[in-house]
Amino acid sequence: MFEVKFFELEEVYMRVGEAPGVDLVRYLIWIAFSVATLGIKNYAANAKGLNDILVVIFFIVGIFTLALMIRRFNHERSSFAEPRKKFLSSLVNNIGFITLMFVLIVVLRMMISYLQVNGKLPKFQNDDVAGSNQKVFIFNLIANVFVISVQQQLVQTGFFFNYFFRKSTPASAIGGIVISGLIAGAITLPGSLLQFFMNMFFGFCFALTYLYTQDEKMPVFLGMVSALIGTIMI
């Protein structure tokens, strides 16, 4: 059953074609939006508290760019052969796989946090600021879960598989998962190779979820869960 669903991608998700150069330029723009938004967020909160001006800039830039990305994705999605799936319907139809990925992501996030607390893993350089400032925590929680995670999923899975690796072959699927994971590791602006590889592995999980469920809402949901657990467990 997995193999049948996994390799239906070309038939179901083939979008109206455009010149490869147009897709590449457009994709680089989405990457720039995602990286710029994350960069502003990282500077908006520090050990001393929030930079109010940067917080305002973050929400303006983040919400505006996210709205553009969602609008464009939905527009491209309208050219797909299959009707748009509802979240609950897609979740129920793939409940076994989504539950597996949900548990895997939560357990990995908790293990990473546990190892960091016990000194077995280093504190990542650009992790969210941990401290007693409740405003910083709330800002990071809202920013990570509702803006950053959604943008990153649109970049590393949604737009990525819309533009590239659309053939329904094992080589295309595996290549897409690998490249998507590398992009996922890079756009998180990792402070170390260890952090890059950690985020790359999560990227593999999200890409596999997208290909299996054929619904962008599923990796977005898991990405939001991952961001929620990651922010809380700091």
Side-chain angles (χ1 to χ4, degrees):
M1 183 160 113
F2 175 82
E3 185 176 357
V4 172
K5 290 183 68 176
F6 192 77
F7 295 116
E8 284 177 349
L9 186 66
E10 181 184 40
E11 196 176 306
V12 175
Y13 278 95
M14 182 63 70
R15 41 187 293 276
V16 176
E18 292 195 42
V22 173
D23 281 346
L24 179 59
V25 170
R26 185 174 289 141
Y27 188 67
L28 292 176
I29 292 173
W30 304 138
I31 289 179
F33 282 174
S34 176
V35 170
T37 304
L38 177 59
I40 296 171
K41 194 224 75 172
N42 287 344
Y43 282 107
N46 54 58
K48 296 180 180 179
L50 293 177
N51 182 315
D52 294 337
I53 295 177
L54 287 179
V55 168
V56 172
I57 293 175
F58 166 80
F59 281 115
I60 292 174
V61 172
I63 293 173
F64 176 73
T65 55
L66 179 59
L68 285 179
M69 293 168 77
I70 292 174
R71 180 180 180 184
R72 181 63 198 183
F73 182 80
N74 287 335
H75 174 73
E76 292 176 358
R77 184 70 176 77
S78 66
S79 69
F80 294 169
E82 186 178 83
R84 189 173 303 171
K85 300 176 182 179
K86 294 184 178 180
F87 175 81
L88 287 179
S89 175
S90 186
L91 183 63
V92 169
N93 290 337
N94 300 282
I95 191 63
F97 183 84
I98 297 300
T99 300
L100 175 63
M101 284 297 174
F102 181 92
V103 172
L104 176 63
I105 288 170
V106 171
V107 169
L108 286 176
R109 281 291 186 187
M110 294 180 69
M111 284 180 58
I112 290 167
S113 179
Y114 174 80
L115 292 173
Q116 286 180 322
V117 169
N118 287 275
K120 301 296 178 64
L121 279 179
K123 179 73 174 175
F124 296 133
Q125 181 179 344
N126 67 345
D127 259 351
D128 294 326
V129 176
S132 58
N133 191 324
Q134 194 70 11
K135 290 182 179 180
V136 171
F137 171 75
I138 293 174
F139 167 73
N140 283 328
L141 191 67
I142 294 173
N144 289 336
V145 175
F146 297 103
V147 179
I148 300 299
S149 66
V150 181
Q151 282 193 343
Q152 290 181 346
Q153 285 310 309
L154 286 172
V155 168
Q156 69 197 45
T157 55
F159 287 120
F160 177 77
F161 286 107
N162 284 4
Y163 299 157
F164 317 111
F165 295 94
R166 297 199 299 268
K167 293 182 179 179
S168 57
T169 64
S172 180
I174 293 171
I177 291 172
V178 171
I179 301 300
S180 177
L182 292 172
I183 293 171
I187 64 175
T188 55
L189 304 179
S192 66
L193 277 177
L194 180 61
Q195 189 177 22
F196 170 81
F197 286 122
M198 180 196 76
N199 290 324
M200 181 180 68
F201 179 80
F202 283 116
F204 292 156
C205 295
F206 299 137
L208 182 60
T209 299
Y210 182 72
L211 290 178
Y212 182 81
T213 64
Q214 301 178 0
D215 186 355
E216 174 63 11
K217 293 186 290 296
M218 295 299 100
V220 167
F221 167 67
L222 291 176
M224 293 175 75
V225 170
S226 178
L228 176 65
I229 300 299
T231 305
I232 291 175
M233 296 299 293
I234 290 177

